[in-house]
Amino acid sequence: MRFLIKYKNIIFILIAAAGINLFSVLRNFDGIDSDAFLYSEVARNIARGRGITTSVLYPYEMHFAKGLEHHYFGSSPLHPILISGLFKLFGAGEWPVVLLGSIFFILVSVFIYCLGKEAFGEKTGLLAALLLMTDTNMIRFSTSGMTEMTYAFLLLACVYFLYKAVTVPSFLVSGLFFGLSQLTRQNHFIFLWVFLAYIFLLHGKRGLIYS
């Protein structure tokens, strides 16, 4: 009972986010995004033990590819790798792809609450979570099969642990999520200078050494 009282807001967000996502899937889902089929193909090849490969060949890849099935150059590999894990559990198809986005939609809702609560108070955290859960773009991304929800969770986790960082392990956890974010979206590296500036302003040279 104490556990339920202590974490009542998080439990509420978990249930609400799962309910909103399920309602969206049952009412509006009409298939994953076209680019998500490419991620799914790469994931299927990974699950079959054929490595991070694809048979989709773009003109700029012709210089690197040695055959129709070639190494996947199109984007960072983490998202297809995560999908491949669900393919191994449930088989290849659209629903494991949707499940991954749904899981991260729920986790993002929880983390935005936690970050808002830490920075501005409990009411702000709840409001932030409610706004995120009811945003039509976030709901659409949660079932699209694209990288947005995966990236949003990893980036938010990176920011959350960086905000709480006061010891070396905290910096390491934030850095881990930063690295995973880079493995999800290639353009993530531009945020490195923002994070380093934040660390320097709050913790000085010692913080930069930790990071």
Side-chain angles (χ1 to χ4, degrees), residues 1-125:
M1 183 61 69
R2 291 181 179 179
F3 176 85
L4 294 177
I5 295 174
K6 183 177 180 179
Y7 296 103
K8 63 180 184 300
N9 288 338
I10 292 180
I11 294 172
F12 165 74
I13 292 169
L14 287 171
I15 295 173
I20 291 171
N21 178 260
L22 180 61
F23 179 81
S24 174
V25 170
L26 295 177
R27 183 177 176 84
N28 300 316
F29 181 70
D30 57 358
I32 58 177
D33 190 271
S34 58
D35 285 345
F37 284 105
L38 174 58
Y39 301 137
S40 300
E41 190 216 4
V42 176
R44 183 183 60 192
N45 288 344
I46 295 172
R48 291 176 176 177
R50 292 155 66 176
I52 305 175
T53 59
T54 177
S55 297
V56 178
L57 188 62
Y58 293 100
Y60 74 91
E61 295 174 325
M62 292 180 179
H63 178 72
F64 305 99
K66 297 181 180 180
L68 181 59
E69 185 171 286
H70 59 282
H71 181 75
Y72 174 57
F73 300 103
S75 184
S76 298
L78 183 60
H79 187 62
I81 290 173
L82 294 174
I83 295 174
S84 72
L86 294 179
F87 279 179
K88 285 188 176 182
L89 290 175
F90 305 110
E94 284 189 328
W95 292 113
V97 180
V98 173
L99 176 61
L100 182 68
S102 300
I103 291 172
F104 282 127
F105 175 76
I106 295 169
L107 292 176
V108 166
S109 301
V110 172
F111 264 81
I112 198 69
Y113 161 74
C114 293
L115 181 60
K117 179 182 176 182
E118 288 285 340
F120 304 107
E122 186 174 321
K123 291 183 179 179
T124 301

